[in-house]
Amino acid sequence: MHNHTLTELSALLRSRQISSVELTEHFLRRSEKYNANLNCYITLTADMALAQARSADAALRQGGAGPLTGIPIAHKDIFCTDGIRTSCGSRMLDNFIAPYDATVVARLQQAGMVLLGKTNMDEYAMGSSNENSYYGPVRNPWDQQRVPGGSSGGSAAAVAARLTPIATGTDTGGSIRQPAAMCGITGLKPTYGRVSRYGMIAFASSLDQGGPLARTAADAAMLLTAVAGFDPRDSTSADQAGEDYSAALTRDISGLRIGIPKQYFDANLAAEIKEIITTAVRQLERAGARVSEISLPNTHLSVPVYYVIAPAECSSNLARYDGVRFGYRCDQPQDLADLYCRSRSEGFGREVKRRIMTGTYVLSAGYYDAYYLKAQRLRRLIRDDFHTAFSNVDVIIGPTSPTTAFRLGEKVDDPISMYLNDIYTVSINLAGLPAISIPVGFVNGLPVGMQITGNYFSESRLLNVAHQYQQMTDWHKRMPAGFN
Amino acid sequence: MSSLDKAEIQKIAWLARLAIDEGDMAGYSRDLSNILKLVEQMNSIDTTTVDPLAHPLELNARMRPDQVTESNQREKFQACAPAIKDGLYLVPKVID
């Protein structure tokens, strides 16, 4: 039952071959059984899920059901869920029961989806390994000694191990695509502003974007169709209607113009990964796509620029955690300064504090121009590189990550090495573009992801290319051993 | 500029309202200095004629009519506060 795609589950539910309660019980059982090892979930919401499943079954009986009605989902614990703890992977919000629903959560509930629980993540979405969670690291289902990637590591591992049919994540510098790549699943970061940020706990507001972590491109399309679209509650929401992202999946890709950035295939990329990506591109070529080399000359600056802009925005956004209105508060504060400083120091973990400090420094008097303004100027150059590229090609293809999943603890004491892992993903967020990561092979039993990037609001095209690739290959059907 | 000493770390920590333990000082100094070193690669390109980009799609802030759209939910919102009394948030004494 856990190997079905969303389309298949939808058909089974509508023809009453299974009920939503049966489906929900099945995934809850699996989630409870395997979570002890994988640590994918921070909170399981079994009772609520079964109540939602019963309502879904009633809607399915009475004919008021949509395509997603009765299908279980897990939300990254960064999305506010009314009445359910929303921890953001932090001690700071360990006791935070959100008083309202994020727009993403509300829309999927409206669509009849059943919430299984809230998934583990790097604290405040800051990390590429899921080792920065207050609730402990998530383990990669393909090799439990390795990280699942981050920051949406819990969502990625849960989908890969079939503990949920689909999950949500957020992506500020690669946090949907990189864990999707490392766990062998499909992850889509939509165009900035495509999916509402309302109720999605803020990390870096000019970069943050929510999206699906799914088994297939077709599944991701179904979810995006339900969540995308204008939201008056998000001031940066794109003022245009969503689309039916499933409509163009089956389109022929002959004539598709693929750009291969030469900077993505330099000495930093492992030879085995390069080989696998090249093979996958050749597959698309055989389906009629035309491939040309392109240049994104400022690629090497994207990590430095990102690690100024993201910490700057984080230091500003996280100023709200003061121990007064919600969240963690230290014991026996001596005075107001002590209340602020100790609540924040005890409530935040190491990486979050590192980023707040970096951001505070680059925004401080005397350094603002040299760091923050400089980074914003370079951000324009990075965006313009993509703009130029998209005048000649439809999509840009490269690796999602320079390596496969690394060992737990391997990079934990070396923030720079961890940051450099984001080389292929952060520039996409700086430019605000959509990109999808799909599984295209394995190195030593570990999944390799390929990133397909498109122009603004070209999600339909990205999903179409990914779907066509998945019609020709079966990498997305591979499942880690030990979860049958 | 790329190496931060203890006094600078303390200053940044205070600006960020963080209390850094004495024992963690060296670690923060090392990590932040390394991060600044990474970031200084930005200086390899002259950007004097490039305008800063604050928002990827360069959208302007959207205006809306000045109408009440939310109801007062004070009790619900204060349910997750660490300390309240009579509908007010409690903090340590600020004025003697």
Side-chain angles (χ1 to χ4, degrees):
Chain A
M1 203 184 309
H2 48 268
N3 269 319
H4 289 302
T5 64
L6 257 55
T7 316
E8 289 162 355
L9 288 176
S10 188
L12 289 169
L13 284 162
R14 283 159 167 271
S15 61
R16 319 296 316 283
Q17 285 169 271
I18 50 168
S19 72
S20 177
V21 167
E22 284 167 334
L23 195 58
T24 301
E25 281 173 343
H26 180 72
F27 279 105
L28 282 172
R29 259 197 310 275
R30 288 180 63 78
S31 295
E32 279 159 13
K33 178 173 172 192
Y34 294 115
N35 197 47
N37 289 334
L38 297 177
N39 200 24
C40 295
Y41 288 97
I42 291 173
T43 306
L44 274 168
T45 48
D47 293 345
M48 237 177 259
L50 290 168
Q52 287 176 349
R54 283 191 288 272
S55 311
D57 281 332
L60 285 157
R61 264 196 310 274
Q62 290 150 15
L68 293 170
T69 302
I71 298 176
I73 188 168
H75 289 311
K76 185 178 184 179
D77 209 14
I78 198 169
F79 288 101
C80 285
T81 39
D82 197 354
I84 303 168
R85 174 171 65 166
T86 301
S87 75
C88 219
S90 182
R91 183 185 192 192
M92 183 61 86
L93 293 178
D94 184 47
N95 62 3
F96 177 62
I97 311 292
Y100 69 102
D101 279 328
T103 296
V104 164
V105 171
R107 286 189 180 174
L108 292 175
Q109 197 175 350
Q110 195 109 47
M113 292 198 90
V114 172
L115 176 62
L116 295 173
K118 308 289 296 287
T119 59
N120 202 345
M121 56 182 284
D122 281 303
E123 185 179 6
Y124 285 99
M126 297 175 198
S128 316
S129 70
N130 217 120
E131 291 166 295
N132 298 332
S133 169
Y134 176 61
Y135 303 90
V138 174
R139 290 170 183 276
N140 190 318
W142 292 93
D143 177 348
Q144 295 191 30
Q145 300 309 310
R146 291 177 187 267
V147 304
S151 67
S152 312
S155 289
V159 172
R162 312 315 195 235
L163 309 189
T164 178
I166 195 161
T168 55
T170 60
D171 191 315
T172 305
S175 284
I176 288 175
R177 292 160 287 156
Q178 187 254 21
M182 290 187 169
C183 290
I185 61 163
T186 301
L188 173 70
K189 181 205 99 73
T191 307
Y192 179 80
R194 179 67 298 177
V195 171
S196 171
R197 293 188 297 111
Y198 179 76
M200 195 177 104
I201 295 174
F203 158 15
S205 301
S206 80
L207 303 162
D208 295 343
Q209 181 62 202
L213 290 107
R215 298 245 313 286
T216 67
D219 285 3
M222 269 179 92
L223 196 86
L224 186 64
T225 302
V227 296
F230 177 67
D231 179 12
R233 289 175 144 167
D234 171 2
S235 64
T236 57
S237 174
D239 199 356
Q240 53 176 287
E243 300 167 36
D244 176 0
Y245 293 96
S246 306
L249 288 175
T250 52
R251 216 172 105 188
D252 186 359
I253 59 161
S254 64
L256 177 80
R257 296 170 303 167
I258 298 175
I260 305 291
K262 59 180 178 198
Q263 289 83 359
Y264 287 16
F265 292 86
D266 64 6
N268 292 322
L269 180 64
E272 304 94 321
I273 294 184
K274 185 176 173 175
E275 180 60 38
I276 285 172
I277 303 292
T278 309
T279 307
V281 170
R282 223 173 281 139
Q283 184 92 44
L284 293 170
E285 235 178 334
R286 277 202 291 277
R290 298 202 308 267
V291 178
S292 59
E293 187 181 86
I294 59 160
S295 180
L296 298 170
N298 294 296
T299 296
H300 66 293
L301 293 174
S302 58
V303 168
V305 168
Y306 178 83
Y307 281 97
V308 170
I309 290 176
E313 294 186 12
C314 124
S315 74
S316 167
N317 271 327
L318 272 61
R320 75 190 64 177
Y321 302 99
D322 58 3
V324 176
R325 289 154 306 154
F326 60 99
Y328 178 81
R329 179 182 210 153
C330 67
D331 276 340
Q332 312 255 309
Q334 302 298 303
D335 53 29
L336 202 57
D338 186 44
L339 169 69
Y340 293 155
C341 292
R342 270 204 298 130
S343 297
R344 290 166 62 78
S345 296
E346 293 166 17
F348 293 136
R350 182 80 186 211
E351 178 61 19
V352 171
K353 283 188 266 196
R354 211 151 32 207
R355 296 207 194 184
I356 291 175
M357 301 265 286
T358 307
T360 302
Y361 181 74
V362 301
L363 290 175
S364 64
Y367 298 108
Y368 181 88
D369 288 6
Y371 289 105
Y372 187 63
L373 216 55
K374 177 81 187 180
Q376 284 194 315
R377 290 182 201 279
L378 289 165
R379 184 176 188 178
R380 181 178 296 278
L381 295 182
I382 290 166
R383 191 204 60 171
D384 289 352
D385 283 353
F386 284 105
H387 187 81
T388 307
F390 283 125
S391 60
N392 296 311
V393 300
D394 302 312
V395 295
I396 295 173
I397 291 186
T400 306
S401 174
T403 64
T404 52
F406 42 90
R407 286 198 170 72
L408 283 158
E410 189 179 323
K411 293 179 194 278
V412 79
D413 294 322
D414 184 1
I416 300 294
S417 142
M418 193 76 94
Y419 294 177
L420 289 172
N421 200 67
D422 303 339
I423 175 77
Y424 304 122
T425 47
V426 289
S427 55
I428 312 299
N429 300 75
L430 290 167
L433 295 163
I436 190 167
S437 178
I438 55 170
V440 292
F442 289 82
V443 173
N444 298 327
L446 297 170
V448 172
M450 176 169 85
Q451 178 172 247
I452 313 170
T453 305
N455 215 336
Y456 299 107
F457 302 104
S458 67
E459 286 83 358
S460 274
R461 173 48 76 84
L462 298 182
L463 289 159
N464 164 229
V465 178
H467 179 72
Q468 289 304 309
Y469 179 82
Q470 291 179 340
Q471 297 305 107
M472 301 183 278
T473 56
D474 68 354
W475 302 113
H476 61 290
K477 291 182 180 160
R478 306 289 176 92
M479 187 182 165
F483 297 95
N484 291 319
Chain B
M1 200 165 16
S2 69
S3 183
L4 296 173
D5 63 22
K6 190 176 146 185
E8 285 167 303
I9 295 292
Q10 265 163 342
K11 186 184 161 204
I12 301 165
W14 169 246
L15 287 172
R17 296 297 183 272
L18 289 170
I20 304 293
D21 288 340
E22 194 62 36
D24 288 337
M25 209 57 96
Y28 276 102
S29 171
R30 184 196 61 226
D31 291 345
L32 262 63
S33 298
N34 285 340
I35 292 167
L36 292 181
K37 212 160 84 191
L38 170 81
V39 155
E40 274 164 17
Q41 287 175 38
M42 295 194 304
N43 297 328
S44 63
I45 302 230
D46 179 14
T47 51
T48 40
T49 60
V50 183
D51 288 332
L53 179 68
H55 183 291
L57 282 82
E58 294 188 272
L59 296 177
N60 294 320
R62 196 175 54 243
M63 307 298 271
R64 64 167 176 85
D66 186 16
Q67 284 163 354
V68 177
T69 55
E70 299 287 333
S71 55
N72 187 1
Q73 299 181 69
R74 171 194 280 218
E75 270 152 44
K76 188 173 187 191
F77 293 155
Q78 287 197 330
C80 55
I84 50 160
K85 195 181 174 191
D86 303 331
L88 301 172
Y89 294 97
L90 297 186
V91 294
K93 202 164 166 184
V94 179
I95 303 164
D96 281 317

